[in-house]
Amino acid sequence: MRGIILAGGKGTRLNPLTLSVSKQLLPVYDKPMIYYPLSMLMLAGIREILVITTTESLGAFRDLLGDGRQWGLRFTFRAQDEPRGLADAFLIGRDFVAGKPACLILGDNIFFGHGLAGQLKKSARLKSGAIVFAYPVKDPERYGVIEFDRRGRAVSIEEKPAEPRSHFAVPGLYFYDGRVAEFAAALKPSARGEIEITDLNLAYLRRGELKVEEMGRGVAWLDAGTHESLLQAANFVQAVEDRQGLMIACPEEVAYRQGYIDAKELRRLAGFIPNAYGDYLLRLSREVRGGGLK
């Protein structure tokens, strides 16, 4: 399976912070925002990843992420000249996906919770159809909303409805089969001139090929797209990391625990980060991957 991180847009809700820097390069406590969706793809076992951003930000993302070899990955970078909708990611990345299943994750979405890695790995084994997730929110009118029938089956998805038919929103994490680029290419722009991800999901739903999985109460989903939510996300990460002594969304750690890099490489990477982050990697390099010290 291929992975796509959509890190485009102008981030106007975060101005003036984003007047000269991409939103997804802003810090969320102790690491860049893009590390969070990147780690989700890595936990799913996805190692070939396309990063889509603005033309102006391509160089900055290449400087931050490199080619991916340091984490056992392979990155490709593409520009989205102007926002044309989330599903446009599959048109930009059509040759990258190359008819293979793909996972799209939004660059400002942060997930954390027990059992999440297992759910990701299971979803990444998708062969046909599509998988999206349902997450309960108190303000569903801000999101794509899933309506269920009495048997718990999804029957409709509506984008930012004035009168939501449920309180379940669709987070910015989507798994699709190898037909996704074909389906995206057949979509017509919406009234706001964008190729909507909701329309792509509806294309699968109408075929009876959309599976909806509920994210449990133990999973946190944070959208760091406003000043308030960015601060809330940073406070959440800081509180969990300080309490547990473990990092959230550390690509070096995920790469090590997934077996993409060894302890020697982890120590080498730690040498470039002379602070608490690097110290954490050094401690990790002395542990057995399953837990405990060597």
Side-chain angles (χ1 to χ4, degrees):
M1 178 169 277
R2 304 287 170 87
I4 301 176
I5 302 175
L6 186 55
K10 299 184 182 300
T12 52
R13 291 185 300 165
L14 281 166
N15 281 347
L17 294 176
T18 49
L19 288 175
S20 62
V21 66
S22 169
K23 170 176 62 176
Q24 291 83 8
L25 293 173
L26 293 175
V28 178
Y29 184 48
D30 55 357
K31 60 190 75 69
M33 188 185 296
I34 196 171
Y35 276 23
Y36 295 86
L38 169 60
S39 295
M40 290 285 287
L41 296 181
M42 294 174 70
L43 286 170
I46 297 171
R47 302 177 71 174
E48 294 185 60
I49 298 170
L50 169 64
V51 178
I52 298 176
T53 186
T54 63
T55 302
E56 297 81 8
S57 298
L58 275 174
F61 278 99
R62 286 194 176 103
D63 289 344
L64 173 66
L65 300 173
D67 61 10
R69 283 183 295 179
Q70 73 277 18
W71 298 326
L73 310 175
R74 185 167 69 183
F75 289 125
T76 301
F77 300 89
R78 298 280 168 76
Q80 185 184 45
D81 298 329
E82 58 184 38
R84 290 187 295 269
L86 304 186
D88 185 50
F90 294 106
L91 304 185
I92 295 172
R94 189 166 193 166
D95 61 336
F96 170 80
V97 172
K100 294 180 173 60
C103 173
L104 171 66
I105 187 167
L106 305 188
D108 62 355
N109 276 216
I110 297 170
F111 299 88
F112 175 77
H114 178 70
L116 192 54
Q119 198 170 24
L120 292 169
K121 286 184 172 68
K122 180 182 176 183
S123 299
R125 293 195 289 269
L126 174 75
K127 299 299 182 184
S128 64
I131 299 173
V132 298
F133 299 90
Y135 191 93
V137 296
K138 68 177 182 179
D139 50 354
E141 64 277 0
R142 294 179 51 210
Y143 306 96
V145 175
I146 302 177
E147 178 189 5
F148 297 94
D149 64 17
R150 293 181 178 179
R151 287 191 270 180
R153 296 179 303 185
V155 294
S156 75
I157 305 176
E158 191 175 2
E159 185 67 23
K160 297 182 176 63
E163 297 182 5
R165 296 177 182 178
S166 83
H167 66 289
F168 284 96
V170 181
L173 174 65
Y174 318 88
F175 290 84
Y176 299 103
D177 65 14
R179 298 172 294 171
V180 62
E182 172 190 341
F183 286 179
L187 297 177
K188 295 181 180 179
S190 65
R192 59 178 184 170
E194 296 190 358
I195 304 172
E196 305 285 357
I197 197 74
T198 293
D199 290 339
L200 180 58
N201 293 333
L202 283 171
Y204 281 94
L205 179 64
R206 292 180 182 123
R207 290 171 170 81
E209 298 180 42
L210 180 71
K211 183 177 180 181
V212 180
E213 294 192 2
E214 185 175 346
M215 285 186 168
R217 294 181 65 172
V219 175
W221 169 41
L222 306 170
D223 173 359
T226 67
H227 297 111
E228 295 80 8
S229 60
L230 181 61
L231 177 60
Q232 289 167 0
N235 287 338
F236 175 83
V237 173
Q238 190 265 346
V240 173
E241 291 189 351
D242 277 9
R243 181 67 174 174
Q244 296 187 344
L246 301 171
M247 275 197 172
I248 296 175
C250 173
E252 295 87 353
E253 177 176 8
V254 180
Y256 178 60
R257 295 195 183 280
Q258 296 278 84
Y260 302 160
I261 62 174
D262 58 20
K264 180 180 178 181
E265 179 63 12
L266 187 62
R267 286 191 289 270
R268 188 187 74 83
L269 294 174
F272 296 111
I273 312 174
N275 55 26
Y277 192 114
D279 294 341
Y280 177 80
L281 299 183
L282 287 175
R283 290 197 305 274
L284 183 65
S285 73
R286 297 193 291 269
E287 296 179 357
V288 178
R289 283 196 180 96
L293 294 176
K294 288 183 180 179

